[in-house]
Amino acid sequence: MKLIQQIGLYTFIAGMLLFTANVFIGSYRFEEQTIVAQLDATQDKIDTGDTIANGFKAALKELSFLGKKYNGEFDFISDLNQAITLYNKNITTELVTVNGITPSEIEALYSGVQKDGKIIYNEELLTTVLTDPAKKQKLIDGTNWMFEGQREYADLESFKNDLNLKLEEINSSIGKQYHISTEAWNLVNLTKAFNVGGSKTNVELWFFLTFGLIIIGGLAYNLPNIKLLGMAGIKNNGIQQTSISNKGWLAWIVLGYLVGFYLLLYFAPHYLNNNILLVDPVSNSLSGKPAGHWFLYGFIYCVSMTIMAVRMYIKYRHNNYQIFRTTVVWFFQIAFAFLIPELLVRFDKPWYDFKNAWPLDYDFFFAFNIDDLLANGTLGAFMFFWGIILTLIIIPVMAYFFGKRWYCSWVCGCGGLAETVGDPYRQNSSKTLLSWKVERYLVHSVLAFAIVMTLVTLYAYYSGATTIAGIDVYTIQKIYSFLIGSIFSGVIGTGFYPIFGNRTWCRFGCPLAAYMGIVQRFKSKFRITTNGGQCISCGNCSTYCEQGIDVRSYAQKGEDIIRASCVGCGVCSAVCPRGVLKLENSDAPKKVDGNPLIFENNIVKLNKDV
Amino acid sequence: MKEKIVIIGNGIAGVTIARYLRKYSNHEILIISSETPYFFSRTALMYVYMGHMKFEHLQPYENWFWEKNKIDLKQAFVQSIDTNNKSLQLDNGEQVNYTKLILATGSKPNKFGWPGQDLPGVQGLYSKQDLDTLEENTKNGINRAVIIGGGLIGIEMAEMLRARNYPVTFLVRENLFWGNVLPKEESEMIMRHMKDHHIDLRLKTELKEIIAGADGKAKSIITNHGEEIPCQVVGLTAGVSPNIDFVKSSNIDTKRGILVNEYLETNIPDVYALGDCAEFHQHPSGDRRNIEQIWYTGKIMGKTLATTICKTKTAYNPGHWFNSAKFMDIEYQTYGWVFPKPKENEKHFSWMHPTKYLSVRICYDKNTSAFIGINTFGIRMRHQAFDKWLNEKRSVDYIIEHLKDANFDPEFYKQYENEIVAQFNSENDTNITPKKRNWKNLFSA
């Protein structure tokens, strides 16, 4: 059994190494047929009559990259960026001579604007100088703030300065519709397309060498614990003495790896193109479309959760609460966050996760999403209203009956990852009073931020304005997506598992958790009851609380635990050696009767500190 | 008048009274302990060795707590007490004066004069120092440990060493493990469980002597049957007794512990004792032993004495007996009294799961059918429920009928009340149907 576990560990590490190596290795070639296929030679006719594919080919030729073979991802991506930049520049320069404001037109404007020693710039002048109505409209749109009556110019020079700046802007935007996008999704597509390495030619083999080895190794590592851990029961032996679970150097390596992975995923996913290619067959079989980086992430998410759910089943096989909870949260991830959305895409419906609720699903009310949903008939409309009902009715009502646990540790994807992959790190959450203070400020600030951002977005959506009370809608969305959506929930939220515990995002950042927390704290049947005088203050409950709640401080007073942050994972109750803690939904009074000297909270309500 | 209250000992009893004194008064409070700078939960030392927790996790209060609440701490050993001048002599040469003195010095492991009992490698398991010693004694790995004494600390120590996969031989003098507390069937269940954990249990076996090796450390033990068992660690866990050596030279009356009345007062005015080190002349509850080495009684004594000092004179009254323990993977709880064998007026009802380590034993008066106590293994019960039912002097039938109200197992656990009630009915020719769980039964006044 030990041997199987050892082999499993090495198999897993081998799979991880190959998966990681895929970021660095890979063969690429700028092949003509790929360029034509990828850049749609037939449809995208540029104004000059040429195609984007030809233009890009020309740029590659100019750089002598065409046909060049690359062995290494970094070289290729650097050249790809260079070629795209050149092509985009070329196409603009070329079109400026056709569609741009020409030097002679500019001269005509300079001379026409001077009248009686004054500078008079207006639509009339533009009509005289520019015969092309499209050009005229561009200048009206771009420079009407310089018209007479709007602005006074003392001399020609100051007028020239303003106009030239604007002209440059107008000319450089010419041909933008023919530019090759450098956004993540497109770079992912291009890198995948130009890839000629094993991840394309030998998908099955490479899938086996990465995901295959990771899955087999992970299971072979976890399964022998049925025997190795001994009888069913709490077996946290050695957790505080092992580098990887006790913030040692191994934990820091895992942290570095996870942070690196999330940075790539969010900000440079094309570096993952080899691995994305490997899950193309899976994606095709589900949605009928090739995989993007978010599909890769979803696939990794499901694989990790499955392997680690097996670990949970073994570790807590004596505890039905943990078994049921793990099963349900795993099911919601696989079915609701992965399979159903992909199948919806197969039937040309919007990708939709029915369990993901605003404000965790922060872009639910973004224009693109509302438009997308409402453009999809009855189903789309249902999805839109389901999202609203989920947040406004289902979430608080369920939180009233069951506490926020029904979502956070039974349904939520973030919670699902934390409860499976993150479980080995739960003991690392900080239990200090200081962290509690930080937590309350931070998590409620994020909630406030999400609400403001969404109100601004909705107002803009229905009014058509782009700025509200001095807040630029696009900017606030960008800031939220970057800071909260990417950095906090992903890079920090999951990346920091090994050192700061598995609920860093849920505890300090999740606006939905904050929202449900308010319900749980003030109006909910859920609480953790403590068992009279049985507590021996051992501290297992506090140590293993992933949310950093000092459970013991309540248990040793015989006081029920009603805390906004509790996600009801049930582990405090599981690790308690004296049967002191029980998660309950009940109407029972929150104070207990009995001998006041035994049930401490009856003699005196202790100050929080004493 | 503002008192200067000095507490010797920062265990649960000493720290509880300090907290309540602070809550009730602005007296000056000083806790002196030689063991550790800050209070920790002694009961959880085992989990540090097993790697479930770090020592810092055993400290229920953050380090800033004491200063913030004006509870002074001093790490020193009290050598002697001068009750005439109300002063203490510390090992660092310092003298400390007090207006009230509270002795909460706890216990120390029993040693019965075994040859070799002070050799390196031989140790008890009570203090932080004992934990450090065990780490030291096992830091290079051991081939076997022998544990002497069949009680709770013994099985805990066995569990600790087994958690690191060291072979353990466990010597128990009696023919049952913890047979003075557990009924035979339950004791046998725990002993089966020890086998699951590969503990080499030797019943009716006593330690005769501990043999030193060439390096001066313990290398083996010899049993009363003449068998020599090679080992590198010997755990002496044959109970504990009050840690009061330094008190004996003072005017304070002692027997096995520091003698107190029901107000926790010693024979000397302004000197009190509580927790493990206190011995009642006669226990105020009647059904409890005069020395109670139990976590929660230390807490209750602390609260009681703080009330006496700051508010109204209050006699110690721990209420109905209860306790709990965990034997490796089996949790044990008890409420009211269940003795190993029923007393003359008592009858036991016992239910045991045919395959799992689950059992319930209820003791009741066979004449009045009044409920007396319950033991449960592997099933958690609600303290409030039994405390209330004991107060209300409920009958065994009532307990059986309302057993579901008392279940404290986590949600989705399989519940066995129906089986238990069915067995009770068939044994007693009754027709009780278990009532559904009802909060009102439990929480209405």
Side-chain angles (χ1 to χ4, degrees), chain B residues 26-85:
Chain B
N26 63 351
H27 296 320
E28 198 181 325
I29 303 168
L30 168 67
I31 306 180
I32 303 175
S33 164
S34 63
E35 188 180 14
T36 50
Y38 301 105
F39 167 56
F40 71 95
S41 297
R42 191 175 304 292
T43 47
L45 281 173
M46 60 183 295
Y47 296 112
V48 177
Y49 186 82
M50 292 164 74
H52 293 209
M53 287 191 275
K54 288 184 224 175
F55 184 74
E56 69 217 46
H57 293 122
L58 269 48
Q59 297 179 174
Y61 306 97
E62 289 184 62
N63 292 348
W64 49 257
F65 173 88
W66 309 100
E67 202 185 327
K68 184 173 178 241
N69 289 292
K70 297 201 183 61
I71 297 172
D72 299 328
L73 305 176
K74 190 185 283 289
Q75 195 173 3
F77 183 79
V78 178
Q79 287 175 326
S80 60
I81 305 167
D82 179 351
T83 52
N84 296 326
N85 295 312

Side-chain angles (χ1 to χ4, degrees), chain B residues 304-424:
Chain B
T304 308
L305 185 53
T307 312
T308 297
I309 290 175
C310 303
K311 296 178 157 184
T312 49
K313 195 163 182 177
T314 306
Y316 172 62
N317 171 19
H320 300 294
W321 170 257
F322 67 94
N323 207 359
S324 61
K326 193 177 181 191
F327 307 99
M328 271 89 79
D329 301 312
I330 305 178
E331 287 176 25
Y332 157 67
Q333 292 187 335
T334 185
Y335 302 100
W337 287 107
V338 181
F339 295 107
K341 288 200 175 94
K343 291 183 179 172
E344 203 167 302
N345 63 321
E346 291 175 351
K347 199 177 166 192
H348 281 186
F349 163 71
S350 162
W351 171 88
M352 287 187 116
H353 191 279
T355 53
K356 293 178 182 165
Y357 292 134
L358 301 168
S359 79
V360 172
R361 179 181 294 266
I362 295 173
C363 173
Y364 59 98
D365 190 308
K366 65 182 169 194
N367 305 316
T368 66
S369 83
F371 169 69
I372 296 171
I374 184 168
N375 276 352
T376 66
F377 289 80
I379 298 176
R380 293 176 175 180
M381 292 286 174
R382 198 181 289 269
H383 187 177
Q384 284 94 332
F386 287 104
D387 200 61
K388 184 176 155 82
W389 292 337
L390 284 164
N391 279 337
E392 294 167 350
K393 300 190 167 43
R394 294 288 182 181
S395 69
V396 65
D397 291 10
Y398 182 92
I399 305 298
I400 292 285
E401 188 179 355
H402 293 87
L403 207 51
K404 286 184 181 181
D405 283 349
N407 190 301
F408 202 69
D409 270 341
E411 293 150 301
F412 306 116
Y413 268 46
K414 183 163 167 38
Q415 310 218 327
Y416 296 94
E417 284 84 4
N418 292 340
E419 283 97 317
I420 295 168
V421 174
Q423 186 187 323
F424 184 87

Side-chain angles (χ1 to χ4, degrees), chain A residues 148-173:
Chain A
E148 76 170 307
Q150 302 280 334
R151 211 180 148 90
E152 301 261 323
Y153 287 97
D155 53 51
L156 185 64
E157 277 313 301
S158 51
F159 173 77
K160 272 188 178 175
N161 279 343
D162 274 4
L163 189 70
N164 283 339
L165 278 175
K166 223 51 214 176
L167 286 173
E168 255 172 56
E169 204 180 301
I170 289 169
N171 279 346
S172 69
S173 73

Side-chain angles (χ1 to χ4, degrees), chain A residues 567-600:
Chain A
V567 291
C569 69
V571 169
C572 57
S573 164
V575 297
C576 176
R578 303 297 180 106
V580 175
L581 299 158
K582 179 166 163 62
L583 280 62
E584 294 188 270
N585 317 307
S586 90
D587 289 321
K590 287 170 183 174
K591 273 189 150 192
V592 292
D593 301 324
N595 183 340
L597 289 166
I598 302 170
F599 307 118
E600 182 165 350

Side-chain angles (χ1 to χ4, degrees), chain A residues 156-199:
Chain A
L156 185 64
E157 277 313 301
S158 51
F159 173 77
K160 272 188 178 175
N161 279 343
D162 274 4
L163 189 70
N164 283 339
L165 278 175
K166 223 51 214 176
L167 286 173
E168 255 172 56
E169 204 180 301
I170 289 169
N171 279 346
S172 69
S173 73
I174 284 170
K176 267 225 162 124
Q177 67 270 38
Y178 306 120
H179 281 187
I180 294 173
S181 167
T182 51
E183 281 183 52
W185 61 270
N186 197 42
L187 292 178
V188 167
N189 283 343
L190 291 175
T191 45
K192 278 176 74 186
F194 291 117
N195 195 318
V196 292
S199 31

